[in-house]
Amino acid sequence: QVQLVESGGGLVQAGGSLRLSCAASGRTFSSYRMGWFRQAPEKEREFVAAINWSGGTTYYADSVKGRFTISTDNAKNTVYLQMNSLKPEDSALYYCAAKRRPFVGTYDYWGQGTQVTVSS
């Protein structure tokens, strides 16, 4: 059974940093693409960043480029999202997700989310 468990959210002032973690279990994820998404109240879920576990190719939404960094720790089977220079508009529920090759269509597995709140 695949499980994705997010942690690391919290309350931070604008300009601050947070690091989100996503602990993945239940199978080998080396052939997966891992993604971070977020959803603010009354808004649609939006893509934030993704990484191919094998090879390390990364993808970012324009709104977070240069501020957020996605990475993996193979030994811990964990995906990270380092978030710097946070803005109030980054406040949202952040979700971790996993997608199998050939990386088409929607993501196959989702976590429960971790809340990020950025105060001005």
Side-chain angles (χ1 to χ4, degrees):
Q1 182 181 356
V2 173
Q3 275 196 314
L4 303 175
V5 180
E6 303 96 334
S7 61
L11 175 63
V12 64
Q13 287 189 330
S17 299
L18 281 175
R19 189 178 77 160
L20 305 184
S21 300
C22 171
S25 62
R27 64 187 62 212
T28 301
F29 288 89
S30 58
S31 62
Y32 279 67
R33 175 175 293 170
M34 305 299 294
W36 285 98
F37 292 75
R38 65 187 182 188
Q39 187 168 18
E42 300 182 343
K43 291 190 176 181
E44 292 188 355
R45 185 180 294 180
E46 64 174 358
F47 168 78
V48 175
I51 185 168
N52 293 344
W53 207 303
S54 176
T57 303
T58 57
Y59 309 85
Y60 295 95
D62 287 343
S63 59
V64 306
K65 277 181 184 176
R67 300 189 298 123
F68 290 11
T69 303
I70 188 171
S71 62
T72 59
D73 184 327
N74 292 342
K76 296 182 178 180
N77 237 26
T78 298
V79 182
Y80 300 102
L81 184 68
Q82 178 67 44
M83 306 186 296
N84 299 329
S85 302
L86 283 162
K87 306 174 182 179
E89 52 263 43
D90 294 318
S91 296
L93 189 60
Y94 282 70
Y95 297 92
C96 176
K99 181 158 64 173
R100 294 185 293 259
R101 287 185 182 276
F103 303 149
V104 296
T106 60
Y107 278 69
D108 300 293
Y109 305 103
W110 294 83
Q112 293 300 306
T114 185
Q115 181 67 41
V116 172
T117 304
V118 184
S119 63
S120 56

